[in-house]
Amino acid sequence: MTTTLDSAATALATEESVRDLVIRWRRHLHQHPELSFHEERTAQFVAETLASFGNLDISRPTPTSVVARLSGARPGPVLAMRADIDALPIEERNSHEFVSRNAGVMHACGHDGHTAMLLGAAKVLTGIRDELAGEIRFIFQHAEELDPGGAEELVNAGVLDGVDMIIGAHLWLPMPYGQVGVRSGALMAAPDNFRITISGSGGHAAIPHETIDSIAIAAQVITNLQHIVARNVDPLGSAVVSVTRIAGGTMYNIIPGRVELAGTVRTFDPALRDRVPELMQRIIGGVTAAHGASFTFEYDRGYRPVHNDERATDLLRRAVVRALGSDVLVDATPTMGGEDFSAYQQKVPGSFFFIGARNEEKGIVNPHHHECFDVDERALDSGTRIFVAAAREMLGE
Ligand code: NI
């Protein structure tokens, strides 16, 4: 009787301290953000913190990533859990006491929290390894924010060898704290980007008939590109074609000979993803030819879409309910944002999910990549608990 109460109390105390540790780790990482592919101190911190737990086989597959393996008491399935660790080139404008100390660099997407909550899960799970059959592989991935991304590099380095399933989370400002969004199928889009140059022939603005006006033609190209989403994409499907940059000209009385455009394309459906650049090429070619101009068109394919496996998503649903109860579970709304978690999903079944981190009352409302981005830190504990519960679901009992 006493023993049961004691161990329950110990368990509770341990859990409480892990929750505090996770917040402390997150704040430390927040103060010391590092850009993609340059996460030297972050990786060092992660590796040292993991080493302090004991029982983990820690490796550094690339210079700024860390992988830790936890073997259970008996053989069994291998579950991988991933956190991204990189920050963004943004000057932070928050005023809390753990504001970034690295000028021009900020954890403005929540990856500091992802890292901290996965460290928390590693700490809890190393403590209960005797109850687990199988292996848990904790992947602390560099460079999620910068194409071609760290995930592909880690897959090529073999970090998924022998893995049966992978899960990963994003702290999510579009959702309030207290909700966890899970979804099978398409969740995040393929973020591709493009550059177009339109070359006409410059001249005096008062003598337009002796020029080929690249600005007027660029305007028509932009307008016609809207036709793709409006008229070429199934209304029940979805795509984004956004021209986000236009550059050309120097002065009010000069028609420039050249205009540069750039932008992004977002799709979920692989067939549509292939088709959009073909349609763009046809439109740009047609409009420029109609007006006697020429063009170049470069199209870069970014990350693949995040498409969640049904079995892995079922595991997540069970984990969320086990960790936090069924009230928090919601159907995640897909987003046109991209994520290189998709690189792992090419290799093994995986599911990516969203942990609500918005809090209107506390003023935690700014979107991802905003200079005043923040998260409701209570969401970190939710993440830790879900990762632990997923391990228990797959490797426990
Ligand atoms: Ni992110």
Side-chain angles (χ1 to χ4, degrees):
M1 197 62 187
T2 319
T3 320
T4 316
L5 277 176
D6 278 356
S7 60
T10 311
L12 203 67
T14 311
E15 252 177 48
E16 278 219 72
S17 67
V18 169
R19 181 166 57 203
D20 296 342
L21 276 172
V22 167
I23 289 176
R24 189 163 3 121
W25 291 330
R26 181 255 166 168
R27 293 183 175 193
H28 172 82
L29 292 164
H30 194 88
Q31 281 181 315
H32 304 285
E34 293 177 301
L35 293 175
S36 310
F37 296 104
H38 298 281
E39 307 91 337
E40 286 90 9
R41 289 180 65 185
T42 307
Q44 191 61 29
F45 173 79
V46 167
E48 282 168 11
T49 307
L50 289 166
S52 75
F53 304 158
N55 285 332
L56 290 166
D57 173 10
I58 301 163
S59 62
R60 302 285 296 271
T62 71
T64 60
S65 61
V66 184
V67 171
R69 296 173 179 221
L70 175 67
S71 298
R74 293 176 304 284
V78 182
L79 175 63
M81 303 177 179
R82 174 271 209 167
D84 42 10
I85 68 173
D86 56 330
L88 287 157
I90 294 173
E91 181 72 35
E92 180 159 17
R93 299 271 175 238
N94 278 316
S95 53
H96 47 58
E97 77 263 27
F98 52 95
V99 71
S100 169
R101 293 181 183 175
N102 188 358
V105 185
M106 177 188 175
H107 269 295
C109 198
H111 299 189
D112 48 347
H114 302 168
T115 308
M117 63 199 194
L118 191 59
L119 283 172
K123 179 159 177 63
V124 173
L125 289 166
T126 49
I128 59 162
R129 67 187 288 247
D130 292 346
E131 299 168 34
L132 303 172
E135 181 199 313
I136 304 163
R137 207 169 294 177
F138 303 95
I139 300 174
F140 294 87
Q141 180 211 310
H142 60 304
E144 188 282 324
E145 298 283 5
L146 188 63
D147 191 69
E152 183 100 27
E153 210 178 348
L154 290 184
V155 170
N156 292 337
V159 303
L160 290 186
D161 292 355
V163 168
D164 295 294
M165 199 173 269
I166 184 164
I167 55 173
H170 211 298
L171 291 163
W172 205 235
L173 259 289
M175 276 171 49
Y177 165 72
Q179 288 187 357
V180 176
V182 175
R183 181 189 171 88
S184 161
L187 183 70
M188 298 181 79
D192 299 337
N193 60 66
F194 60 84
R195 283 177 306 285
I196 302 166
T197 59
I198 292 162
S199 298
S201 175
H204 201 295
I207 316 172
H209 56 289
E210 289 183 3
T211 72
I212 296 173
D213 185 347
S214 57
I215 287 205
I217 298 165
Q220 293 203 20
V221 167
I222 294 167
T223 308
N224 276 274
L225 287 176
Q226 309 308 312
H227 202 87
I228 295 173
V229 174
R231 281 298 171 265
N232 298 124
V233 175
D234 183 334
L236 298 177
S238 43
V240 168
V241 178
S242 291
V243 176
T244 56
R245 182 172 179 273
I246 173 164
T250 54
M251 211 176 152
Y252 65 88
N253 60 359
I254 303 169
I255 288 174
R258 197 176 125 108
V259 167
E260 292 173 10
L261 307 174
T264 188
V265 172
R266 306 290 168 114
T267 51
F268 292 112
D269 174 34
L272 181 59
R273 188 186 189 194
D274 290 340
R275 190 155 165 256
V276 170
E278 290 168 15
L279 291 165
M280 292 180 72
Q281 172 94 21
R282 197 172 76 192
I283 288 167
I284 302 160
V287 172
T288 50
H291 301 293
S294 60
F295 71 99
T296 63
F297 176 46
E298 291 168 61
Y299 194 90
D300 296 327
R301 289 164 74 95
Y303 303 149
R304 297 176 191 85
V306 170
H307 193 96
N308 286 337
D309 173 78
E310 199 156 334
R311 261 187 340 115
T313 308
D314 278 346
L315 171 76
L316 269 182
R317 281 200 190 94
R318 294 199 306 274
V320 172
V321 171
R322 179 175 185 147
L324 306 166
S326 55
D327 290 350
V328 305
L329 190 63
V330 299
D331 212 16
T333 307
T335 161
M336 283 291 177
E339 239 293 346
D340 76 344
F341 186 80
S342 54
Y344 303 109
Q345 293 175 309
Q346 302 300 307
K347 193 89 175 169
V348 298
S351 194
F352 194 70
F353 66 106
F354 297 143
I355 301 170
R358 182 185 189 88
N359 189 322
E360 304 273 350
E361 278 164 31
K362 294 185 191 166
I364 300 172
V365 295
N366 290 307
H368 293 264
H369 299 200
H370 188 281
E371 60 195 10
C372 293
F373 176 83
D374 198 7
V375 297
D376 187 326
E377 285 183 322
R378 290 176 300 170
L380 304 179
D381 188 52
S382 307
T384 299
R385 284 168 186 267
I386 294 165
F387 281 124
V388 170
R392 283 183 177 279
E393 281 290 328
M394 190 158 160
L395 280 70
E397 269 90 67

